[in-house]
Amino acid sequence: MAEHSQNPEGQENSPEPHLEPLRAVELRPEAAQREPEFGIPPEPDRTARGDTHQDTGGGIRGGIRGGVRGDLGRAPDRDIHRAPDRDAAAHSPHQDVRTAPRPGPPGEARRADHPPGFAVLATVALSLALHGLGVDWLSVPLLVLACALWLLLALTTAEHFVRHPWDGAFDTRPALTALAATALLVTRCSLQDWQAVAAVLLLEAVVLWLVLLPHLARGLPETALSGALATQGLALSAATLGGQTDSAWIRWPALALLCFGVLLHGYGLARAFDARRFTEGGGEQWLTVAVLAVAATTAAGLDALSGHVALRVLGEVLLGLAVASYVVLVCCEALWLRLHYDIGRWVTAFALAMTAAAAPATGAETLGRVLLWPAIAVWIAVAMGGVLSAARRPALWRGRMGMSGQHAP
């Protein structure tokens, strides 16, 4: 047995002094009493919280291994799978629409909020503008295309909600966009004298609006602008179908929906206005122009149904606000050029086309003809950008358009 050296004070020295730090670590009774090593915080006491996972290793290795097992033993947190960087997550080809990052400021439109619904809205609005100006040879093919896109929207939306449970405001806004697309399609089908199709779609839109109303209320103010768009679209479809079928009684619920939509729009602007969207937005900043244009068209339809001068004035005021916002946003687009394709540009195409459709509906036919050309140009540019983007990166396109709740392959 080797002799142990004595220190001057009579205490025995270890023959292996280089192992003393490790023995000191191993002899410490509990992991909770360990001092931080290499910046790693001490592990909490598992026995105090009833965790059955024990640390079987000593020192740093045991602490890390036990901590990993403890995290895996607990129920996973939904938020740990969400990417912290919104832009990086939006461009990831494997981004799940269910785990996309939440918005920053309330009411901020996100790429995940732009399913095929806005493509349907832009196409139907352009068809409405062409029909209002008498260009039916182009309006009818666009209507057929919009119907095909709407069927795609209905299938993908149903698939998403069958696969995944409801997720509050994160799912409410895309659902409200789908509702607005359905309501606007009712308007165009009614003007094309497809009254049976329009009536069925209107009934579906009313049921969906009633189902979404509690979710809309709980998601405020984030859902205010999308809710205003859906409500105004429902009012427009009701007023149009009532005018085409001589159902004067429908003007009262349509008027109530119009007023409710205006209030929601004002509330959304007051609570969620962000001036940075004018310089940094990817196209979704045009949503307020679209809502104003839909409201102006609704007021014009109710004026034709009831002949009340107040509705005519209201329609003209709303159109004036839409055009003023239109001009401001065009100036911002010219000063801060954003020429790359973004899925949010479908909102821009929808706003331009809807303003062009609202002008002749309120009696400003010349203005409508002027606004029609940029609406056509932007719709073509956005459609070409979408097709090219889908051809280059189909998995990314599926994720951005919200066509599946699963990870892209």
Side-chain angles (χ1 to χ4, degrees):
M1 184 171 184
E3 294 292 328
H4 291 252
S5 63
Q6 300 282 333
N7 60 16
E9 299 178 358
Q11 296 177 351
E12 192 174 76
N13 290 332
S14 171
E16 299 175 337
H18 60 283
L19 296 180
E20 281 298 319
L22 294 179
R23 289 181 177 177
V25 171
E26 292 176 355
L27 293 176
R28 290 175 186 174
E30 297 293 340
Q33 298 176 358
R34 294 173 184 158
E35 297 179 359
E37 299 175 318
F38 298 97
I40 300 176
E43 185 181 0
D45 186 4
R46 300 178 183 279
T47 59
R49 67 183 184 189
D51 197 337
T52 58
H53 297 284
Q54 299 295 330
D55 188 351
T56 58
I60 299 173
R61 183 181 61 183
I64 295 176
R65 188 166 57 193
V68 172
R69 285 199 306 271
D71 288 339
L72 294 178
R74 294 189 299 271
D77 186 0
R78 182 187 184 90
D79 291 336
I80 65 175
H81 303 291
R82 187 170 293 121
D85 185 3
R86 282 187 309 169
D87 292 331
H91 289 78
S92 171
H94 302 292
Q95 179 63 31
D96 190 343
V97 69
R98 300 292 303 174
T99 59
R102 300 286 180 172
E108 178 184 351
R110 300 165 293 137
R111 287 182 177 89
D113 281 344
H114 301 292
F118 276 111
V120 178
L121 283 166
T123 306
V124 177
L126 188 57
S127 178
L128 278 173
L130 291 167
H131 177 78
L133 295 172
V135 193
D136 283 335
W137 62 270
L138 184 56
S139 175
V140 174
L142 283 174
L143 173 59
V144 174
L145 176 60
C147 291
L149 291 174
W150 182 87
L151 288 175
L152 173 65
L153 169 65
L155 291 175
T156 54
T157 303
E159 178 203 12
H160 174 76
F161 289 119
V162 165
R163 290 173 179 261
H164 300 281
W166 190 265
D167 190 17
F170 191 58
D171 282 335
T172 301
R173 282 176 288 181
L176 288 170
T177 302
L179 169 58
T182 304
L184 206 64
L185 187 62
V186 170
T187 301
R188 184 62 189 91
C189 289
S190 180
L191 291 175
Q192 194 63 31
D193 203 22
W194 298 350
Q195 306 305 339
V197 176
V200 172
L201 290 177
L202 179 59
L203 180 61
E204 175 190 345
V206 170
V207 172
L208 183 58
W209 185 81
L210 292 175
V211 170
L212 291 175
L213 193 58
H215 299 283
L216 167 62
R218 284 193 293 267
L220 292 174
E222 293 184 5
T223 55
L225 292 181
S226 299
L229 175 63
T231 305
Q232 298 288 9
L234 193 59
L236 175 59
S237 62
T240 305
L241 187 61
Q244 293 294 314
T245 58
D246 296 327
S247 303
W249 64 269
I250 206 171
R251 68 179 183 270
W252 298 114
L255 181 60
L257 288 171
L258 172 62
C259 296
F260 181 56
V262 170
L263 291 176
L264 268 179
H265 188 200
Y267 176 76
L269 290 179
R271 292 293 305 275
F273 178 77
D274 186 2
R276 293 175 300 175
R277 307 308 301 169
F278 289 102
T279 60
E280 302 174 2
E284 65 276 358
Q285 67 273 18
W286 285 83
L287 182 58
T288 186
V289 178
V291 176
L292 288 170
V294 174
T297 310
T298 304
L302 289 174
D303 173 43
L305 192 60
S306 62
H308 203 291
V309 65
L311 292 170
R312 184 181 307 113
V313 173
L314 177 61
E316 293 172 355
V317 169
L318 291 171
L319 177 63
L321 292 174
V323 172
S325 303
Y326 186 117
V327 173
V328 170
L329 286 172
V330 166
C331 294
C332 292
E333 296 281 3
L335 292 174
W336 292 276
L337 291 176
R338 286 150 286 179
L339 300 180
H340 60 279
Y341 172 75
D342 192 291
I343 193 66
R345 283 302 174 188
W346 279 115
V347 186
T348 306
F350 169 48
L352 297 182
M354 198 65 226
T355 309
T362 54
E365 185 173 341
T366 302
L367 177 62
R369 293 188 181 277
V370 172
L371 297 178
L372 179 63
W373 293 106
I376 294 175
V378 170
W379 188 92
I380 293 175
V382 175
M384 290 180 61
V387 170
L388 292 176
S389 177
R392 288 195 301 266
R393 302 178 69 180
L396 175 60
W397 182 81
R398 286 184 70 229
R400 285 186 175 183
M401 295 295 279
M403 293 184 64
S404 176
Q406 303 297 321
H407 291 283

